[in-house]
Amino acid sequence: MLASNLPKSPFFPTRYVPVSPSFHITCSVSQLQSAAEAVNGRVAERNEIRLGLPSKGRMAADTLDLLKDCQLSVKHVNPRQYVAQIPQLSDLEVWFQRPKDIVRKLLSGDLDLGIAGFDTVSEYGEGNEDLIIVHDALDYGDCRLSLAIPKYGIFENINSLTELAQMPQWTKEKPLRVATGFTYLGPKFMKDNGLNHVSFSTADGALEAAPAMGIADAILDLVSSGTTLKENNLKEIDGGVVLQSQAVLVASKKSLIQRKSALDTTHEILERLEAHLRAQGQFMVTANMRGNSAAEVAERVLSQPSLSGLQGPTISPVFCKSGGQIAADYYAIVICVPKKALYKSVQQLRAIGGSGVLISPLTYIFDEETPRWRELLTKLGL
């Protein structure tokens, strides 16, 4: 296959394009510069902002649920189409893609924003400085990329990465064989931790079977609960976790710098995400309490450890009409309480004279300024 016949795609590796098992075409500097100019051109010439979302699986469903909770419901009229809209963001297009393609298209300039697992961003982004994490904890898709070895045989008494590295069995001729789909993070992790005699192989399907079949000595894979590892007589080891992962909002740095509209849209999405995620598990508690003054009531409330709220209780007079006169004999107390402290807070309110306690879940908590927004501007040099 001649170089001139290669498909023009931004997803071919920039280092080389495989043509046959023994021959590669090396990209010249001018070709790389041309590709970079093409990326910048694509970013600049588009008017719409493009958001990449996972197209299938649990990650896709959880992403749509999160956006819906943030009042950013995705309008997907035809499920066979890969493009959709978010009516609240008129200049935004949603593109459903595989998570790894979201990362690749962010780098190629075909997407501006995306949601994917941090493991996917790290693996396919390969440390590229144009990828910038906008929100690093969307609170779903939790897992870890971890090294696992058999519980039996020569590994029976091996419980740490250090012990694994010191095993005399691994030589240049007979390296530690690791089955994994993470062909960038795997070798980098091993090299960074001093394991020099390691070979990697990729395998389709469940990697947990590889050691038992004799295909590999260890596996490097995503782990959630660890149950599947245990059921296949595998174990994680100390120091063997490559990274902790969950869903993240990621963006093209070039796009945010070059296009104010992309930055403004990112700001709104980030504000909505932050406000919703901060409110999760929080409840607004309202109660009435007799008192001579707001300050006296506040002193009683703040004497209880679970009643401080986010910044302190809000206390306001409750006006009642008695004997033809209006007086403020009661004060209303409003505080924000986490779910785990809810019942204790109600008990403490009652103990200091609170009554008529009302509880309602919170949907959003907006800060004066979203902390991650300031962090993002710093990363962008703005």
Side-chain angles (χ1 to χ4, degrees):
M1 184 173 177
L2 297 176
S4 60
N5 294 328
L6 287 170
K8 295 180 180 179
S9 167
F11 308 130
F12 278 98
T14 56
R15 288 163 291 189
Y16 59 79
V17 178
V19 178
S20 72
S22 60
F23 179 71
H24 297 89
I25 296 176
T26 303
C27 294
S28 67
V29 173
S30 61
Q31 286 174 313
L32 291 175
Q33 289 175 338
S34 297
E37 290 170 1
V39 168
N40 290 333
R42 279 198 295 275
V43 171
E45 70 188 15
R46 281 191 288 103
N47 292 321
E48 73 281 354
I49 293 101
R50 292 178 177 172
L51 169 66
L53 299 183
S55 56
K56 294 179 181 179
R58 179 67 181 271
M59 179 74 79
D62 288 347
T63 299
L64 293 178
D65 287 344
L66 173 63
L67 291 173
K68 183 178 180 181
D69 290 339
C70 296
Q71 302 299 310
L72 293 174
S73 295
V74 176
K75 187 177 181 181
H76 196 195
V77 178
N78 186 348
R80 292 181 179 274
Q81 291 182 335
Y82 288 96
V83 65
Q85 306 291 328
I86 295 179
Q88 288 80 4
L89 301 172
S90 58
D91 59 348
L92 184 80
E93 284 184 352
V94 172
W95 287 82
F96 291 101
Q97 301 284 302
R98 295 182 301 175
K100 62 182 179 181
D101 287 338
I102 291 174
V103 179
R104 288 167 171 165
K105 290 180 180 177
L106 283 167
L107 292 173
S108 71
D110 295 302
L111 290 175
D112 304 298
L113 294 159
I115 292 179
F118 181 64
D119 59 289
T120 305
V121 174
S122 301
E123 171 67 19
Y124 294 95
E126 297 188 3
N128 193 300
E129 292 183 357
D130 188 49
L131 287 180
I132 188 165
I133 302 295
V134 178
H135 198 299
D136 60 352
L138 296 182
D139 207 26
Y140 64 94
D142 296 77
C143 60
R144 58 189 177 275
L145 180 58
S146 188
L147 186 68
I149 60 175
K151 295 179 179 179
Y152 49 84
I154 61 173
F155 299 103
E156 185 175 0
N157 297 315
I158 303 299
N159 297 300
S160 71
L161 189 65
T162 302
E163 293 173 349
L164 181 66
Q166 293 174 347
M167 291 179 69
Q169 284 87 346
W170 320 129
T171 63
K172 186 176 181 180
E173 293 73 26
K174 189 178 179 182
L176 173 70
R177 299 169 302 157
V178 180
T180 186
F182 292 84
T183 55
Y184 169 75
L185 291 175
K188 184 179 184 299
F189 176 76
M190 292 299 190
K191 183 179 179 181
D192 291 346
N193 285 276
L195 281 86
N196 300 316
H197 302 309
V198 184
S199 66
F200 291 86
S201 63
T202 57
D204 294 326
L207 294 180
E208 291 84 0
M213 295 179 70
I215 299 172
D217 302 303
I219 67 169
L220 183 67
D221 202 8
L222 295 175
V223 179
S224 295
S225 65
T227 301
T228 305
L229 292 179
K230 293 176 183 177
E231 290 177 347
N232 286 274
N233 286 318
L234 299 175
K235 62 183 178 182
E236 294 178 87
I237 55 177
D238 292 339
V241 176
V242 178
L243 56 77
Q244 297 285 344
S245 181
Q246 62 176 300
V248 299
L249 175 64
V250 62
S252 161
K253 189 175 183 179
K254 288 190 187 76
S255 180
L256 298 187
I257 291 174
Q258 293 176 6
R259 303 172 66 200
K260 185 178 183 301
S261 59
L263 187 61
D264 290 343
T265 298
T266 301
H267 189 193
E268 180 172 348
I269 293 173
L270 180 59
E271 286 244 273
R272 289 173 178 263
L273 288 171
E274 284 275 74
H276 169 68
L277 292 171
R278 190 172 182 205
Q280 279 190 332
Q282 298 284 342
F283 290 80
M284 185 171 67
V285 178
T286 305
N288 290 336
M289 187 180 298
R290 282 187 179 274
N292 297 319
S293 68
E296 185 259 328
V297 172
E299 187 174 348
R300 271 192 279 162
V301 172
L302 291 173
S303 69
Q304 303 299 313
S306 297
L307 303 182
S308 58
L310 294 176
Q311 296 172 318
T314 298
I315 297 173
S316 56
V318 176
F319 293 96
C320 303
K321 191 173 183 179
S322 178
Q325 293 184 339
I326 296 176
D329 294 330
Y330 282 87
Y331 288 85
I333 304 151
V334 180
I335 56 173
C336 183
V337 175
K339 185 177 181 179
K340 63 183 179 181
L342 186 58
Y343 185 66
K344 183 182 289 186
S345 299
V346 173
Q347 288 179 310
Q348 290 177 2
L349 274 172
R350 287 170 171 168
I352 59 174
S355 62
V357 181
L358 303 177
I359 298 171
S360 55
L362 292 176
T363 306
Y364 305 104
I365 298 176
F366 284 94
D367 285 312
E368 183 177 352
E369 182 181 55
T370 304
R372 284 185 173 89
W373 174 245
R374 179 52 52 192
E375 294 173 11
L376 177 61
L377 293 181
T378 300
K379 291 177 185 177
L380 295 173
L382 300 175

